[in-house]
């Protein structure tokens, strides 16, 4: 008996993943293997009081000064 072909995953329209991330109430930061911030949702930008990473790609360690407040 042969296995059925897997159904391909649907692709999301451009910008949809950012909209989903921004809809989340909790801070979400996506980090690359070398520790650079690849993307952050609106809640993360609000929490860290910074615009991430639009102009440069900071490292996660650059945000520790904010966490020390808590």
């Amino acid at each position: 008996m042969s296995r059925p072909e897997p159904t391909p995953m649907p692709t999301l329209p451009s910008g949809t993943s950012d909209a989903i991330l921004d809809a989340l109430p909790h801070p979400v930061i996506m980090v690359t293997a070398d520790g650079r911030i690849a993307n952050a949702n609106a809640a993360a930008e609000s929490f860290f009081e910074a615009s991430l990473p639009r102009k440069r790609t900071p490292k996660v360690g650059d945000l520790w000064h904010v966490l020390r407040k808590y």
Side-chain angles (χ1 to χ4, degrees):
M1 199 179 265
S2 65
R3 291 182 139 170
E5 288 293 317
T7 304
M9 293 292 292
T11 57
L12 298 173
S14 179
T16 302
S17 59
D18 286 338
I20 292 169
L21 277 178
D22 283 339
L24 296 172
H26 302 290
V28 176
I29 297 175
M30 290 186 268
V31 181
T32 63
D34 67 348
R36 298 216 175 262
I37 298 171
N39 200 355
N41 69 352
E45 290 183 352
S46 176
F47 179 81
F48 289 106
E49 300 170 349
S51 180
L52 306 170
R54 311 288 189 249
K55 296 188 179 183
R56 63 183 186 93
T57 53
K59 289 207 168 203
V60 172
D62 296 343
L63 301 175
W64 288 121
H65 69 282
V66 176
L67 294 175
R68 285 188 209 146
K69 293 181 192 177
Y70 300 96

